[in-house]
Amino acid sequence: MSRKRLGAPLLAAGILTGLVLVYLGYEARTSARPNLALIVVLAIFTVGFIAAGVGALRSGAHPDALSGEPGDYRHAYRLFGIVGALLLATLAARSYAVPASFGQFGHYRGTAPKDAQKVRAPQHQGRKSCVKCHELQAEDHAKDAHHTVECENCHGPAPEHVLVDATKKNIEKRVTKEWCLVCHRKLNARPGAFPQVSWRDHYKFVGVKDESIECIKCHDPHRPLFLEKPITEARLHPLVHRCRDCHIGEMDEKKALPKEHPATFECSYCHEKLTKHAAESSHPDVRCTTCHLFIKDSDYAGRIVRNTDPRFCLLCHAKTDFRSSKAKGIDWPGHLEQVKADTKDEETPCTKCHGLHDTDPAKKTAAGKEKP
Amino acid sequence: MNFVFPNEAHVTWSVMIVLYPYITGLVAGAFIVSSLYHVFGRNELKAVSRFSLASAFVFLLFAPIPLQVHLGHPERSLNILITPNFSSAMAGFGFIYNSYLLLVVLEIWFVMRSDFIARAKGKGLVPFICRAVLLFNLHEDDATRRADHRIAKFLAGLGIPMACLLHGYVGFLFGSLKSNPWWSTALMFVIFIFSAIVSGISVLIFHYFVVSKINRWRIDQGCVRAMGRYLWGFMIIAVALELLEILSIAYKQTEEWEVLDQLIKQKLMITYVVLQFGVFSLVPFLMLAISALFKLGDRLTNALVWTSATMLLLAMIWLAIPSSGGHVNAGVRAEHRIDVSIGSATVYVNGRRLGQTPVTYVGTAGEVIEIEVRLQGYATRHERIEVRPNGTTTLTMEAQRSSESQRKLP
Amino acid sequence: MSDDTGHDPKKSRRDMLKAIGVGAGLLLLPIGRVKADKDDKTADPDYDWEKHYWGYAVDTTKCIGCLACMRACRAENDVPAGYVRTWVERYSISADGTVRVDCAKDEMKGFEEVKDEPVKSFFVPKICNHCEKSVCNQVCPVGAAYRTKDGVVLVDTQRCIGCGYCVQACPYGSRFINPTTHTADKCTLCYHRITKGMQPACVQACPKGARIFGDLADKKSPLSILLRQRRYRLLKPEMGTHPKCYYIGLDREVI
């Protein structure tokens, strides 16, 4: 291929880059961050291509005899004139079409963040807004195990109710067992320390035969454990691990630990007398942590709960028509009358008459202390 | 693992996106064939040089339509010209496409000026249109023809890098995307250009035979043989590049290979390996090799070349489709479950009653359906959902509220 | 030199070139370019975006997979059904090394039990990482994807043409095309809340404190303190996107 033939493509490339350069130059005047490096590189290429193209075109004789004679280009002027006018008009029109604030902070419409701020009013108002009116539930809720769960998690966001008209009472109440299981279903992926149940096992443990019974029949959603003291103030306690905290799957907890196993605590390591005593008393099959809920506060510390609220004991001991468990069922507060207690107060802790670990009332001394 | 992020279960770039590179590939290829004659003096291609221009023009006009159909807001598509973001390869679309269209129009104007003048004489609509196209200047002599010829040559030369740009930038668009290991390769730009030339020559051969048969033109055998040879040569390069890309990924076996390996061995085994490489590449290769290397009779050569061209056109479709990663799920039967948060609502799909929730709609993956969910005491919900295999949609029903909408809060 | 028609080709060529030159020159004139409106504030008067640089952290050791975050996000931002702005993945790694990842089918029903026996299993909540060098901003053809001065990656829904390039470009699967507005959509870090001093809906909803939101510009913010105390990792750092979402407790398998 002779040098002459290269002339046209080279010139073409030069004109192309030149056009891009013109546009970028135009853009650079109004843009926040003009890409100067690109412009300089393109300028070099443009000049190079055009020079090479023109040089090649002018060199030597073209085998095509046509180039020697002049051509008549007048018919082309009209065409190129129209094309040029159209291009200019497009560029001019473009300037009007660009939004006013475009490019102010970058290659975007400057007023766009403001639009993003105003896209909608916040829907979720947070616990603080519910607490203002619903003091009773808020008090209960803040003390108990669900204290970190947002009200709106179970009740849905209700901005109209909170901000506009509190008489609009179309608030959701998600109360089915399926709903509780969304969080509390036993899953391998859930951290072992988090309270989770296989609901059939749990129902078997508490003696519920009817599968349609909802969790809230026993557990008040605002006070699932009926804690008398705020959970955040429960006593600090060294970390107590169960097998599930590290191991996934069912483990035989009665098996002896292998030699290289990391140190774990059993309650009896520190509370030897008490655990022995409890093992011989009325709650021998119940683990310490069933009543003394252990909460893992962080990787370094935990808290242990002591709860003498009668409703907590009633979680197992309430006599109901849907449950029949090994735990002796009683009628509350009818039980107080039955045993002719000297108080009719429903909030009387069971431990007033029944001991802490040995629950035979006969074993209590007059001072209310347990006999060892 | 076969995990896709939940948002990626929806295929965003589908058939419409695939069509655009395919069509611009045809355009670029056809134009380059025309330029082979006008600039590089390949006289054996003279017969199709103008035909290819017309071909390119027509395809080019059609090319943006699938893109506009794909866009969420086609009415805003001019934004690409108004505020183009030059860090994005896609921003080139407006300028490159429009300037290329302008170039093709100008080239046709100059190349076919004599034909327009011949048709412009007389009364009637068509002559009037021809006169309008000529801008009412019908003067013609040797000098003007020389001028036309030179300008056409110049434009044809200008058009070669522009054609490469037109199709190449689409390749760059795919190839520069680091988040998709299937596409991300520096070779993509080059693959696209060569596959464009292949499909361009193929479509020209295809059309040349079809149009010649319809209009009973005499087929220029020299041209056909030449196109067959060019097709063979460019096809070898294009397929080699494609193979090179996939083989180099297969050899390096970096992390993304596990996903690609599964994809090729399972979902894409038929379309990619068997059909695209096996049937639609190997067979045309052999046919074109035979017709190029051996001196066969005219009819046999024509048959081989035409069949190869058609098969390569189809191969290019398959090249584009798995490359775009689109519709791997399409056509798959999908059961999509529809449920509500509270109570049991009645579900209507595309106007027809489906049943009471929880209800399962059986359709095809990727299908979009309009559902209406009605529940006594709650606001009726209208939704458009995309059907996914084993997908579930649960709608939260809001109790009937007053006229003041929840969204208009201060 | 002129030919028979009295037309001098050299002169006409010169004229044409002159015309082109003038035309090109005209391009450089300020034709009707409207200047940016300086009075138009881009932020509410009380909120100064120069003073904040928002970041996010996810503590995967705390996540219990309750999906309160997904529900809150969907209600807060009207996220269309079938798409997510934030989601939770569950990883199950079995003894032979196979990894199984899944998402809950329905956030109102939560994760379901699976009959497998992993040796390791955990949840990983995910959101848009609001990358400092986000690929989505780079590939948007019309300038509808941008990052604010306070570090939040947003979509200008007025300019977006719905081409889906950003959706393809995001290596983390954070973006989608909203079927109602037909524009790109993604987590906005609840920009309409954080500019009013509130927290994003997902952060507020999490009962375990697995999602932490804060101001990276403030060395005393809870997020900054957390990042100085705990070991964290980014997702797909090899992509070079410089994400601003820090993951604590990430395992090797997390993608």
Side-chain angles (χ1 to χ4, degrees):
Chain A
M1 197 187 299
S2 75
R3 249 178 65 189
K4 198 89 177 189
R5 288 188 194 273
L6 281 175
L10 279 172
L11 199 57
I15 290 178
L16 263 179
T17 44
L19 284 171
V20 176
L21 188 64
V22 166
Y23 183 82
L24 280 181
Y26 184 65
E27 191 62 32
R29 292 174 51 255
T30 50
S31 151
R33 286 178 313 160
N35 196 340
L36 288 170
L38 185 63
I39 289 172
V40 167
V41 167
L42 271 178
I44 294 171
F45 270 103
T46 309
V47 170
F49 278 135
I50 291 180
V54 169
L57 278 174
R58 291 177 65 142
S59 70
H62 197 291
D64 183 346
L66 284 179
S67 77
E69 313 235 355
D72 183 356
Y73 294 91
R74 279 174 299 175
H75 60 285
Y77 295 160
R78 222 177 272 185
L79 181 64
F80 285 121
I82 290 177
V83 168
L86 271 173
L87 280 174
L88 286 174
T90 316
L91 275 168
R94 186 199 153 267
S95 307
Y96 281 103
V98 178
S101 62
F102 202 91
Q104 197 176 3
F105 305 106
H107 195 84
Y108 59 97
R109 193 169 55 94
T111 47
K114 195 175 173 192
D115 291 346
Q117 283 179 31
K118 299 193 295 197
V119 67
R120 59 174 53 84
Q123 300 296 297
H124 291 82
Q125 306 302 318
R127 264 178 283 158
K128 291 198 195 80
S129 58
C130 313
V131 161
K132 274 190 250 169
C133 298
H134 299 275
E135 285 171 357
L136 215 61
Q137 288 94 324
E139 219 182 282
D140 287 345
H141 184 264
K143 275 202 305 198
D144 216 295
H146 282 166
H147 69 114
T148 54
V149 179
E150 282 288 321
C151 313
E152 285 153 329
N153 184 39
C154 300
H155 293 289
E160 213 178 59
H161 175 83
V162 175
L163 299 171
V164 180
D165 183 358
T167 59
K168 300 267 179 243
K169 296 216 182 115
N170 308 332
I171 309 288
E172 279 184 77
K173 280 183 197 171
R174 300 175 189 162
V175 295
T176 58
K177 178 158 82 252
E178 274 306 309
W179 178 250
C180 303
L181 285 174
V182 170
C183 292
H184 290 286
R185 182 176 291 119
K186 190 164 179 186
L187 294 174
N188 287 326
R190 289 200 155 126
F194 180 72
Q196 48 192 296
V197 291
S198 164
W199 70 270
R200 282 183 215 276
D201 291 345
H202 182 70
Y203 274 32
K204 215 161 88 178
F205 175 70
V206 296
V208 175
K209 293 259 168 38
D210 185 356
E211 292 193 351
S212 66
I213 296 290
E214 309 284 18
C215 312
I216 56 164
K217 271 275 199 178
C218 298
H219 297 280
D220 178 344
H222 300 125
R223 281 190 85 175
L225 300 172
F226 300 104
L227 296 177
E228 53 185 4
K229 278 206 284 267
I231 196 172
T232 43
E233 291 166 27
R235 189 179 250 195
L236 286 170
H237 192 278
L239 280 180
V240 170
H241 287 110
R242 289 190 300 180
C243 305
R244 274 218 80 223
D245 288 349
C246 300
H247 297 278
I248 297 179
E250 298 305 320
M251 309 244 17
D252 185 0
E253 295 189 345
K254 296 200 174 59
K255 226 160 96 167
L257 294 175
K259 263 199 269 193
E260 309 84 30
H261 198 279
T264 60
F265 286 99
E266 290 290 326
C267 306
S268 53
Y269 291 177
C270 297
H271 305 280
E272 202 179 331
K273 258 194 181 164
L274 211 52
T275 40
K276 195 152 161 276
H277 180 68
E280 292 159 1
S281 71
S282 323
H283 283 133
D285 297 332
V286 178
R287 310 170 56 131
C288 311
T289 46
T290 303
C291 298
H292 288 287
L293 303 155
F294 178 77
I295 296 132
K296 192 172 166 188
D297 209 39
S298 69
D299 281 335
Y300 317 108
R303 291 182 190 269
I304 202 106
V305 166
R306 272 182 185 176
N307 195 13
T308 52
D309 189 312
R311 284 168 293 183
F312 182 67
C313 305
L314 285 171
L315 281 174
C316 287
H317 286 285
K319 189 179 200 171
T320 65
D321 49 4
F322 58 86
R323 209 171 55 187
S324 57
S325 71
K326 278 201 319 201
K328 203 161 160 186
I330 61 148
D331 211 14
W332 187 268
H335 178 73
L336 289 170
E337 183 140 342
Q338 206 185 17
V339 298
K340 295 190 183 57
D342 50 358
T343 167
K344 295 253 185 336
D345 184 2
E346 265 178 46
E347 310 224 340
T348 313
C350 309
T351 50
K352 189 162 189 285
C353 301
H354 300 269
L356 293 166
H357 300 104
D358 189 345
T359 50
D360 185 350
K363 295 230 181 96
K364 283 203 82 163
T365 63
K369 286 206 164 57
E370 269 181 48
K371 286 189 197 150
Chain B
M1 42 177 159
N2 275 323
F3 179 62
V4 282
F5 295 123
N7 284 332
E8 287 179 352
H10 305 270
V11 177
T12 324
W13 275 8
S14 61
V15 181
M16 289 296 141
I17 290 288
V18 162
L19 277 178
Y20 177 72
Y22 186 62
I23 293 171
T24 53
L26 299 176
V27 169
F31 192 86
I32 286 175
V33 167
S34 168
S35 297
L36 277 172
Y37 167 72
H38 281 110
V39 180
F40 297 103
R42 302 273 117 211
N43 288 318
E44 64 270 22
L45 292 173
K46 184 172 181 176
V48 287
S49 64
R50 278 160 43 168
F51 184 74
S52 61
L53 270 181
S55 232
F57 177 61
V58 166
F59 277 123
L60 199 57
L61 280 182
F62 178 71
I65 293 176
L67 285 184
Q68 297 284 41
V69 169
H70 161 82
L71 283 184
H73 282 273
E75 76 281 6
R76 294 184 196 166
S77 53
L78 284 179
N79 279 353
I80 275 187
L81 287 169
I82 296 169
T83 53
N85 180 14
F86 284 118
S87 67
S88 164
M90 200 185 276
F93 169 69
F95 299 97
I96 295 175
Y97 173 80
N98 281 308
S99 48
Y100 192 76
L101 182 62
L102 182 65
L103 184 111
V104 171
V105 166
L106 290 176
E107 171 103 11
I108 289 180
W109 200 88
F110 286 104
V111 167
M112 299 199 179
R113 189 158 182 268
S114 305
D115 304 281
F116 277 118
I117 289 172
R119 286 291 215 99
K121 300 189 166 78
K123 283 200 185 292
L125 183 62
V126 172
F128 177 75
I129 292 175
C130 289
R131 281 201 297 276
V133 167
L134 290 166
L135 303 175
F136 301 101
N137 180 348
L138 277 71
H139 171 75
E140 175 180 38
D141 61 13
D142 273 346
T144 60
R145 274 193 282 271
R146 274 197 295 273
D148 287 343
H149 182 87
R150 283 178 203 155
I151 294 177
K153 190 175 176 134
F154 172 76
L155 288 174
L158 188 68
I160 295 175
M162 286 196 70
C164 290
L165 204 58
L166 176 75
H167 197 57
Y169 97 89
V170 181
F172 185 74
L173 200 149
F174 284 102
S176 62
L177 218 49
K178 57 187 171 186
S179 50
N180 189 327
W182 184 251
W183 300 341
S184 176
T185 166
L187 281 176
M188 198 56 91
F189 180 84
V190 185
I191 290 174
F192 266 66
I193 291 178
F194 279 100
S195 69
I197 298 174
V198 169
S199 43
I201 300 178
S202 303
V203 83
L204 273 182
I205 294 173
F206 183 84
H207 276 146
Y208 184 55
F209 277 106
V210 168
V211 173
S212 299
K213 275 266 163 5
I214 293 173
N215 289 331
R216 286 180 227 222
W217 295 342
R218 203 176 62 83
I219 292 180
D220 181 344
Q221 287 303 137
C223 182
V224 169
R225 284 177 200 272
M227 287 203 286
R229 277 199 308 274
Y230 279 119
L231 186 58
W232 186 52
F234 280 116
M235 185 210 140
I236 290 174
I237 300 176
V239 174
L241 284 170
E242 253 288 299
L243 274 176
L244 199 69
E245 189 219 343
I246 194 71
L247 285 175
S248 100
I249 297 178
Y251 183 81
K252 284 189 284 192
Q253 292 208 359
T254 47
E255 220 173 43
E256 70 259 9
W257 173 246
E258 286 174 38
V259 179
L260 296 178
D261 185 32
Q262 267 189 346
L263 204 61
I264 294 173
K265 290 215 175 91
Q266 290 162 18
K267 286 197 165 118
L268 295 180
M269 187 60 175
I270 303 282
T271 55
Y272 190 65
V273 183
V274 176
L275 285 175
Q276 189 198 321
F277 276 116
V279 177
F280 290 108
S281 299
L282 194 58
V283 174
F285 171 78
L286 293 170
M287 289 204 290
L288 287 171
I290 293 171
S291 72
L293 296 172
F294 299 104
K295 196 134 176 81
L296 301 166
D298 282 347
R299 285 189 69 167
L300 187 57
T301 309
N302 290 353
L304 285 173
V305 169
W306 188 83
T307 320
S308 307
T310 315
M311 291 180 90
L312 281 171
L313 274 180
L314 292 170
M316 288 304 134
I317 293 183
W318 262 291
L319 180 113
I321 289 178
S323 292
S324 79
H327 86 217
V328 208
N329 261 339
V332 168
R333 182 175 173 277
E335 288 184 16
H336 195 103
R337 202 160 156 266
I338 301 167
D339 201 356
V340 288
S341 58
I342 192 162
S344 183
T346 320
V347 176
Y348 295 80
V349 173
N350 294 335
R352 280 202 337 269
R353 188 177 182 283
L354 184 65
Q356 297 285 126
T357 56
V359 72
T360 306
Y361 174 75
V362 179
T364 40
E367 190 188 342
V368 174
I369 53 173
E370 307 243 352
I371 61 169
E372 191 184 301
V373 181
R374 296 188 203 158
L375 181 61
Q376 180 86 350
Y378 291 82
T380 305
R381 286 198 68 162
H382 297 266
E383 296 288 333
R384 292 183 84 209
I385 58 173
E386 186 184 307
V387 175
R388 296 186 312 281
N390 296 318
T392 313
T393 301
T394 306
L395 300 169
T396 311
M397 301 303 284
E398 292 176 0
Q400 211 87 41
R401 292 191 186 276
S402 68
S403 57
E404 189 171 32
S405 148
Q406 202 173 326
R407 301 283 173 261
K408 295 204 192 92
L409 292 172
Chain C
M1 183 180 56
S2 59
D3 61 21
D4 299 332
T5 59
H7 160 65
D8 182 359
K10 277 217 178 87
K11 184 168 183 296
S12 67
R13 205 174 300 149
R14 249 179 279 139
D15 286 339
M16 190 164 86
L17 288 171
K18 264 193 233 164
I20 290 176
V22 168
L26 281 175
L27 289 178
L28 298 169
L29 286 177
I31 309 173
R33 180 81 171 93
V34 182
K35 290 251 174 5
D37 186 354
K38 293 220 166 39
D39 290 334
D40 191 359
K41 291 193 178 47
T42 54
D44 277 344
D46 299 330
Y47 179 72
D48 182 3
W49 66 353
E50 305 268 1
K51 295 213 168 75
H52 303 280
Y53 197 58
W54 302 116
Y56 201 97
V58 172
D59 189 345
T60 60
T61 59
K62 295 211 168 97
C63 179
I64 58 170
C66 67
L67 306 183
C69 49
M70 283 178 74
R71 290 187 292 270
C73 176
R74 196 174 290 280
E76 179 73 28
N77 295 295
D78 216 8
V79 182
Y83 296 93
V84 290
R85 286 192 179 189
T86 183
W87 68 102
V88 181
E89 295 169 3
R90 170 172 56 178
Y91 285 75
S92 294
I93 301 153
S94 59
D96 62 1
T98 6
V99 182
R100 213 185 127 263
V101 189
D102 72 323
C103 286
K105 283 213 174 78
D106 178 359
E107 71 239 22
M108 297 305 282
K109 300 254 161 75
F111 276 99
E112 287 162 359
E113 262 186 83
V114 197
K115 299 266 180 302
D116 64 352
E117 298 189 0
V119 294
K120 212 198 258 182
S121 190
F122 50 91
F123 293 108
V124 181
K126 296 249 184 103
I127 64 162
C128 161
N129 292 275
H130 294 276
C131 308
E132 288 183 340
K133 276 198 184 158
S134 48
V135 199
C136 55
N137 289 355
Q138 189 186 18
V139 300
C140 173
V142 297
Y146 63 99
R147 206 164 64 83
T148 60
K149 281 226 164 92
D150 43 1
V152 183
V153 175
L154 294 173
V155 177
D156 183 352
T157 46
Q158 274 189 31
R159 287 204 79 68
C160 177
I161 60 174
C163 70
Y165 199 8
C166 59
V167 176
Q168 296 292 326
C170 178
Y172 307 105
S174 309
R175 296 176 82 104
F176 57 94
I177 297 289
N178 188 319
T180 330
T181 65
H182 301 290
T183 56
D185 201 330
K186 65 183 233 9
C187 161
T188 57
L189 266 195
C190 284
Y191 203 63
H192 61 289
R193 292 174 64 98
I194 63 179
T195 50
K196 294 189 174 73
M198 301 167 89
Q199 287 197 311
C202 54
V203 176
Q204 188 179 66
C206 178
K208 286 291 169 185
R211 290 168 177 260
I212 305 105
F213 170 77
D215 193 345
L216 291 169
D218 176 10
K219 294 238 175 343
K220 298 218 180 84
S221 71
L223 178 66
S224 304
I225 293 174
L226 180 82
L227 293 177
R228 289 200 291 273
Q229 291 174 339
R230 305 288 298 276
R231 311 264 173 89
Y232 57 84
R233 167 151 110 70
L234 305 168
L235 288 177
K236 301 199 187 189
E238 69 277 6
M239 288 278 169
T241 52
H242 296 262
K244 285 208 311 298
C245 185
Y246 304 96
Y247 289 81
I248 293 165
L250 266 194
D251 202 25
R252 179 180 76 124
E253 275 77 10
V254 178
I255 50 168

